[in-house]
């Protein structure tokens, strides 16, 4: 049975910071942030936004895109590393906000930026096996990447969510069986329970990423070979989509893969194979679990090449670490369907924050979990605050 992505949706905050402006405010040459990271704008969530509201908005777009009714969803999983509760999953809040059936399997997955991929692979196998019995799985990657004002990681922040509707009608991408997995116990990135900000060993984390890429890619080559596939190298792909915490990481990843394949000019194919996937991420920044899937949405929305029937390679990495290299085939009209979502327009409508505004919002978010719930519910998916130690949201 075929299984894959029937639709997708994204959500980003309506506000952002120009990275060039942030650099100047920090006494740094703008090129160090913009060119050095491959990011122009950094999404900044307001105080009425969190992982739950972003997830719900992305899911609504994915469901509406194909007219999926709430009762058609049989599994809801949220992959996140910025959960709002140590026990109650983000997915339970989202189930309530979307009005999904009570006969829906609901839970949350965590493994740094790999959590969404873990959920996606589980959902794909659930559909392929026939256990879904015609139901669909809603997988959501939702996170707020935060490092704090004035810290070295400040320009690598971001926020957003990507929702993936998985079914036996893969109108966007048919996911192929036979992935390559690599895992290793490393301390390259973590967030202690007492901290809102992540701790990262930057240079070590880059090396861990590349080590995991090599391990997962070689594992995929062995799996594809055992399955009788042909051309077990990146030459068989029309595009490659990497986990992209920042754009320049994709260039390092691509150079590594092409070098493994014996390419004497590993950067020569970068713009053709990877470039279109970086258009949207460059305007949002790091969204952790959703980063690779935002890049996939960017590829389908921005590529000028007709990708119908062509194979795409996908690499997902989560610090700590676990990684997976897997593949998919682009469905007919997939690009038209994603373009119809108007993702570029969605980003263009956002408002730029001044640096003082941004810093004020960051300070306000320090006490976000203690914010008293507002009396007026407002409209849309919003975080209203807490009442009796309970988080209160508005549809």
């Amino acid at each position: 049975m075929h299984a894959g992505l029937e639709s997708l949706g994204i959500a980003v905050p309506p506000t952002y910071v120009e990275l060039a402006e942030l650099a100047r405010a920090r006494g740094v040459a703008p090129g160090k942030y913009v060119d050095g990271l491959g990011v122009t704008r950094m999404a900044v969530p307001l105080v009425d936004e969190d992982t739950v509201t972003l997830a719900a908005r992305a899911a609504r777009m994915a469901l509406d895109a194909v007219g999926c009714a709430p009762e058609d969803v049989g599994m809801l999983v949220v992959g996140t590393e910025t959960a709002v509760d140590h026990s109650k999953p983000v997915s339970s809040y989202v189930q309530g906000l979307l009005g999904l059936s009570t006969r829906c399997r609901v839970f949350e997955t965590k493994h740094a930026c790999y959590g969404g991929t873990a959920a996606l692979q589980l959902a794909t196998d659930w559909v392929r096996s026939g256990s879904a019995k015609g139901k669909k799985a809603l997988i959501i990657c939702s996170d707020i990447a935060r490092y704090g004002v004035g810290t070295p990681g400040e320009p690598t922040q971001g926020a957003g969510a990507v929702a993936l509707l998985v079914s036996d009608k893969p109108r966007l991408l048919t996911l192929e069986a036979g992935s390559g997995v690599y895992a290793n116990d490393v301390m390259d990135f973590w967030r202690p329970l007492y901290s809102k900000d992540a701790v990262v060993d930057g240079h070590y984390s880059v090396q861990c990423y590349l080590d995991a890429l090599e391990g997962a890619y070689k594992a995929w080559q062995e799996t594809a070979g055992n399955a009788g596939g042909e051309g077990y190298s990146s030459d068989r792909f029309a595009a490659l989509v990497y986990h992209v915490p920042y754009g320049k990481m994709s260039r390092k990843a691509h150079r590594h893969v092409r070098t493994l394949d014996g390419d004497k000019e590993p950067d020569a194919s970068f713009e053709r194979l990877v470039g279109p996937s970086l258009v949207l991420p460059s305007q949002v920044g790091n969204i952790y679990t959703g980063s690779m899937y935002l890049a996939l949405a960017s590829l389908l929305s921005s590529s000028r090449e007709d990708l119908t029937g062509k194979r795409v390679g996908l690499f997902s990495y989560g610090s700590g670490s676990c990684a997976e290299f897997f593949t998919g085939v682009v469905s007919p009209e997939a690009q038209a369907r994603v373009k119809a979502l108007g993702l570029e327009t969605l980003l263009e409508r956002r408002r730029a924050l001044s640096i003082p505004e941004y810093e004020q919002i960051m300070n306000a978010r320090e006490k976000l979990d203690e914010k008293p719930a507002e009396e007026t519910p407002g409209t849309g998916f919003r975080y209203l605050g807490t009442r009796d130690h309970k988080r209160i949201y508005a549809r």
Side-chain angles (χ1 to χ4, degrees):
M1 180 184 293
H2 290 304
L5 307 187
E6 182 174 349
S7 70
L8 62 80
I10 74 168
V12 295
T15 47
Y16 67 89
V17 165
E18 292 281 1
L19 229 55
E21 291 296 319
L22 182 63
R24 282 189 279 269
R26 302 294 177 255
V28 175
K32 183 175 181 180
Y33 285 2
V34 177
D35 299 327
L37 295 173
V39 180
T40 58
R41 293 175 174 176
M42 182 179 79
V44 177
L46 301 175
V47 293
D48 61 353
E49 295 179 294
D50 64 8
T51 306
V52 171
T53 61
L54 289 167
R57 287 201 284 123
R60 176 53 62 202
M61 179 185 287
L63 296 176
D64 289 349
V66 291
C68 179
E71 60 268 22
D72 292 334
V73 178
M75 179 186 292
L76 168 62
V77 190
V78 175
T80 184
E81 59 177 281
T82 52
V84 298
D85 189 280
H86 290 311
S87 296
K88 183 171 179 175
V90 169
S91 50
S92 286
Y93 291 105
V94 174
Q95 179 193 19
L97 289 171
L98 296 178
L100 298 186
S101 169
T102 55
R103 297 186 175 183
C104 181
R105 182 175 291 157
V106 177
F107 59 98
E108 182 179 292
T109 53
K110 181 186 77 173
H111 194 305
C113 298
Y114 175 75
T117 297
L120 174 63
Q121 295 293 350
L122 174 70
T124 303
D125 287 343
W126 179 66
V127 172
R128 282 198 195 108
S129 71
S131 296
K133 295 182 171 59
K135 297 287 186 179
K136 308 173 194 290
L138 181 58
I139 306 304
I140 312 173
C141 308
S142 184
D143 273 304
I144 295 174
R146 174 190 168 95
Y147 295 100
V149 173
T151 65
E154 184 181 24
T156 63
Q157 298 179 110
V162 182
L164 309 166
L165 190 65
V166 182
S167 77
D168 58 3
K169 298 179 180 63
R171 299 179 181 181
L172 300 185
L173 192 74
T174 298
L175 294 174
E176 298 181 298
S179 65
V181 176
Y182 176 92
N184 191 24
D185 179 13
V186 294
M187 292 293 288
D188 61 328
F189 175 100
W190 66 99
R191 184 168 66 86
L193 292 177
Y194 57 78
S195 175
K196 287 182 178 292
D197 301 340
V199 180
V200 59
D201 185 338
H203 292 294
Y204 180 52
S205 190
V206 169
Q207 188 57 54
C208 289
Y209 178 114
L210 296 177
D211 290 344
L213 171 58
E214 181 172 341
Y217 184 62
K218 287 182 176 179
W220 166 77
Q221 288 178 310
E222 293 174 8
T223 301
N226 290 333
E230 298 179 354
Y232 325 125
S233 76
S234 54
D235 290 325
R236 77 194 317 244
F237 300 119
L240 284 157
V241 180
Y242 299 99
H243 171 55
V244 53
Y246 52 90
K248 280 300 181 68
M249 191 66 238
S250 285
R251 184 174 290 277
K252 294 176 183 179
H254 188 67
R255 183 182 298 132
H256 195 56
V257 165
R258 295 299 295 175
T259 300
L260 290 171
D261 286 337
D263 191 341
K264 302 299 183 183
E265 297 181 5
D267 289 323
S269 60
F270 179 79
E271 289 302 328
R272 176 175 61 86
L273 294 178
V274 185
S277 72
L278 302 180
V279 175
L280 299 182
S282 71
Q283 300 176 55
V284 178
N286 192 358
I287 61 170
Y288 287 162
T289 50
S291 294
M292 192 201 74
Y293 299 100
L294 181 61
L296 174 61
S298 181
L299 170 69
L300 295 175
S301 179
S302 304
S303 179
R304 296 180 181 180
E305 179 184 354
D306 182 3
L307 297 172
T308 302
K310 296 182 179 179
R311 183 172 282 106
V312 175
L314 304 116
F315 173 69
S316 177
Y317 174 76
S319 292
S321 68
C322 190
E324 191 155 356
F325 189 94
F326 56 109
T327 62
V329 176
V330 179
S331 305
E333 300 185 9
Q335 289 166 275
R337 291 179 183 277
V338 176
K339 287 177 182 176
L341 297 175
L343 303 182
E344 289 85 356
T345 301
L346 177 67
L347 297 187
E348 289 170 1
R349 289 176 178 169
R350 297 177 299 165
R351 179 175 69 89
L353 296 170
S354 68
I355 300 304
E357 283 180 307
Y358 152 71
E359 292 177 346
Q360 184 178 19
I361 290 169
M362 290 291 286
N363 289 332
R365 291 191 67 84
E366 286 286 345
K367 299 292 185 180
L368 187 62
D369 295 330
E370 302 170 17
K371 177 177 179 273
E374 300 172 8
E375 295 300 322
T376 53
T379 59
F381 298 126
R382 291 180 55 216
Y383 169 61
L384 302 180
T386 61
R387 184 182 297 124
D388 298 326
H389 304 290
K390 302 173 185 176
R391 298 180 77 87
I392 308 297
Y393 292 92
R395 294 192 185 189

